Amino acid sequence: MSHARYLRLPKIAPWQTAVLVAGAAFLWRLAAGPHPVDDAYITFRYAANMARGAGFVYNPGEPILGTSTPAMGLLLAASAAAFGTTHVPIMSLVWNALFDASCVILLAAIARRLGFPPLLQWLAAGLYGFAPLVVRYSIGGMEAPLATAVSLLAIYLFFAERPVAAALLAGLGVLVRPDILAVGAALAGAQLVVRDRRVGRTVLILVGCLAAAGGLLFAFYGSPLPQSVLAKASPIYQSTPFASAVEIAYALGSFPLLYGTGIGAKGLLVSTSPMLTLTAVILFAVGMAFWALGIRDLIRRNSQAMILALYPSIFMGTYVLAGLRGSLVAEWYTPPLLAVWMLAWLHGLWLTLHGLQLGSARWAGLGLAVVLMVTEMAGFDLGRGRQANAWMPLSVWEERELLYLRAAEDLRPRIGAADVVAASEIGAFGYACGCRILDTVGLVSRVSLGYYPLPAGRYSTNYAIPSELIRDQRPRFLVTLEVFARDTLLRDARFLGDYELVWEAPTDAFGSRGLQVYQRIPLR
């Protein structure tokens, strides 16, 4: 079915509009400025150490890969070597703005190959380019924009009949982030479904890339998997079995109608409203109905669109199954899913609009496009004074990171070169402190994993710190949210006798009562 009579617009080359939207998205992110999330600072520290000549490590002299995005870390390391290590957060913002701009163009290009009319191409590009969830993790310094760009480029190459290049990109993309392997699996699956004889070659390329990446990591770090992946797969993290499923429902169900509430990239862990949760889940179910309608029609018209069905299915299925064993999907993993899912969702929405025959078809289409963009833009501050500037998403929440930076500034003069600081969140504090860190959840400290799992009664929340770990390793300082020590260290008479509270700042982050710094009492 053609949408031409619904979407008749002035003659403007689609690529020109895509470039304009991409440019606007790029400038929007620069105007918002860098607001790194805690995990981004881990990669920043790897990059800074590499640029200083200490190697791609977190603690100098300890070859452990605690970031799941070595490609992003090395890119930032090269930038830091050229422009200085103090500018890593700014450089991450610039790179992410460029990657997101490329995603806008790629989405428009894929939509064009799917036969979308110009307005639908522009709307797909605009909805992604200005999605508060996407902007949040772009200005947040995470690798999500690069992961999305790699995923979309691989999908575009598949549509462009370049499956070898697509398979190579998807295979090597695991160095950007492991979940990009889902794109490779979707590529092979789509070829298998349409009986493409090249599927065997695709599988061989993917296996070869994985072997090469694993061999490289093994040579440098003694393991084919990043330590961060091993830590997250261990029983450190505790969540309800369906938490990952609800997290995905938040990410997709909030798009774009609930962005004005600010939940966009906050997701399950920050929202405390059961009604908001229920609304997001209902909207997700409705959105999946539009998605199913759209994907069926796209596959009918172009069998290659099967990749757009398989990738979201593999992505969501993997994380839902992982959630059953206690793993929780982080919100910054969802932008690539949103970008791909949105194409079929948007197509299904247009098909529904056509079926309803609402007055003038042309103006109905334009009206819906305006409604979607307006509701999405309501997720930004836009001068309401709830964020640092008008360009920031309402969902940005920086309290923890700023407190950790304050703690590092206060503690840094008291830390000697040989001192070890234990911390359960090692991002902002570790980057600003520059000290040797004992990571109590094992992202960069292998020794920590041996102390988990804890007895069920000692988990007040995720990241609960084992008393035995601190007792055995004897760090000079401990930096933690109170909630991480509430049912372990703060009930341990030996810890309370060996350490004293030397700094505290109030916060209710994750249900805590404050951010605390403890110092080991010298032996007398």
Side-chain angles (χ1 to χ4, degrees):
M1 178 201 62
S2 172
H3 299 288
R5 67 189 186 91
Y6 284 77
L7 307 169
R8 199 169 297 152
L9 294 170
K11 291 184 178 180
I12 303 174
W15 69 267
Q16 292 176 322
T17 305
V19 169
L20 287 174
V21 174
F26 175 82
L27 293 175
W28 189 288
R29 286 153 174 77
L30 296 189
H35 300 276
V37 299
D38 195 66
D39 284 60
Y41 282 106
I42 299 175
T43 305
F44 293 174
R45 176 157 159 162
Y46 272 87
N49 280 337
M50 182 72 171
R52 295 186 187 109
F56 197 65
V57 295
Y58 187 87
N59 288 320
E62 297 181 15
I64 297 173
L65 184 60
T67 174
S68 55
T69 179
M72 185 70 177
L74 291 173
L75 176 63
L76 291 176
S79 302
F83 300 104
T85 57
T86 59
H87 301 302
V88 172
I90 290 287
M91 289 181 288
S92 76
L93 171 67
V94 174
W95 279 116
N96 278 349
L98 286 170
F99 293 139
D100 273 342
S102 70
C103 290
V104 167
I105 295 172
L106 283 167
L107 272 170
I110 294 171
R112 186 162 60 251
R113 284 194 169 269
L114 291 170
F116 285 17
L119 179 58
L120 208 55
Q121 297 173 30
W122 304 343
L123 187 56
L127 285 173
Y128 179 83
F130 295 95
L133 183 148
V134 174
V135 176
R136 169 65 189 114
Y137 291 113
S138 186
I139 67 176
M142 296 302 293
E143 75 284 351
L146 177 55
T148 307
V150 170
S151 300
L152 291 178
L153 181 55
I155 291 171
Y156 175 81
L157 289 170
F158 174 64
F159 280 113
E161 295 292 347
R162 299 181 63 185
V164 171
L168 281 170
L169 192 60
L172 294 176
V174 297
L175 294 174
V176 174
R177 208 165 64 184
D179 65 297
I180 293 180
L181 185 59
V183 178
L187 169 61
Q191 289 180 312
L192 187 63
V193 170
V194 301
R195 299 181 180 179
D196 187 334
R197 295 180 179 178
R198 295 170 293 183
V199 64
R201 183 175 61 186
T202 295
V203 172
L204 287 175
I205 291 172
L206 291 173
V207 171
C209 288
L210 286 176
L216 189 65
L217 296 184
F218 184 83
F220 282 95
Y221 300 103
S223 171
L225 293 175
Q227 178 67 17
S228 56
V229 172
L230 296 174
K232 291 173 184 178
S234 71
I236 292 173
Y237 299 84
Q238 300 289 305
S239 64
T240 58
F242 296 101
S244 285
V246 177
E247 193 71 36
I248 290 172
Y250 259 96
L252 301 185
S254 61
F255 170 80
L257 299 179
L258 294 183
Y259 281 158
T261 66
I263 74 168
K266 282 187 173 183
L268 177 67
L269 297 180
V270 176
S271 172
T272 57
S273 168
M275 185 56 66
L276 197 58
T277 301
L278 179 61
T279 303
V281 170
I282 291 173
L283 288 175
F284 170 68
V286 174
M288 286 303 296
F290 287 132
W291 177 84
L293 177 65
I295 202 68
R296 187 176 74 168
D297 187 68
L298 289 173
I299 293 173
R300 181 183 61 81
R301 294 205 254 158
N302 182 349
S303 61
Q304 286 182 308
M306 179 61 68
I307 195 173
L308 302 181
L310 291 177
Y311 170 69
S313 301
I314 293 169
F315 186 106
M316 289 189 280
T318 300
Y319 277 112
V320 169
L321 290 175
L324 296 178
R325 63 181 300 276
S327 298
L328 181 66
V329 58
E331 297 94 349
W332 53 81
Y333 277 79
T334 59
L337 170 65
L338 176 64
V340 177
W341 176 86
M342 181 185 67
L343 288 168
W345 172 86
L346 195 54
H347 183 63
L349 200 57
W350 284 120
L351 292 176
T352 303
L353 176 66
H354 174 267
L356 293 175
Q357 297 289 330
L358 298 175
S360 168
R362 177 185 179 187
W363 294 110
L366 288 171
L368 183 60
V370 170
V371 168
L372 291 177
M373 287 302 303
V374 168
T375 55
E376 180 168 88
M377 297 303 290
F380 292 93
D381 183 83
L382 300 178
R384 284 176 277 183
R386 292 168 59 181
Q387 296 291 6
N389 65 49
W391 314 103
M392 289 173 61
L394 296 175
S395 55
V396 172
W397 178 55
E398 299 180 282
E399 180 181 296
R400 282 168 47 247
E401 289 84 357
L402 295 176
L403 284 178
Y404 279 119
L405 293 175
R406 278 178 51 197
E409 182 180 3
D410 181 83
L411 193 58
R412 191 166 51 238
R414 290 187 270 171
I415 299 175
D419 290 336
V420 174
V421 181
S424 48
E425 293 186 295
I426 63 170
F429 177 83
Y431 177 76
C433 174
C435 50
R436 186 166 296 276
I437 294 288
L438 169 64
D439 173 21
T440 64
V441 298
L443 296 177
V444 300
S445 301
R446 293 191 180 102
V447 66
S448 300
L449 299 187
Y451 292 86
Y452 291 93
L454 301 179
R458 295 169 67 184
Y459 281 102
S460 50
T461 185
N462 277 331
Y463 305 171
I465 302 173
S467 299
E468 296 80 2
L469 173 64
I470 302 302
R471 187 181 307 155
D472 293 345
Q473 300 301 315
R474 294 182 54 80
R476 186 180 177 203
F477 295 96
L478 169 70
V479 179
T480 181
L481 289 173
E482 172 272 336
V483 70
F484 300 151
R486 182 179 298 168
D487 291 333
T488 54
L489 295 171
L490 298 185
R491 293 187 177 185
D492 186 328
R494 182 169 173 178
F495 172 79
L496 295 175
D498 289 344
Y499 287 81
E500 61 180 338
L501 182 66
V502 296
W503 189 91
E504 185 174 22
T507 177
D508 60 357
F510 299 148
S512 189
R513 301 188 185 103
L515 177 65
Q516 300 175 334
V517 177
Y518 290 87
Q519 181 174 356
R520 193 175 69 242
I521 300 171
L523 295 175
R524 295 181 177 86

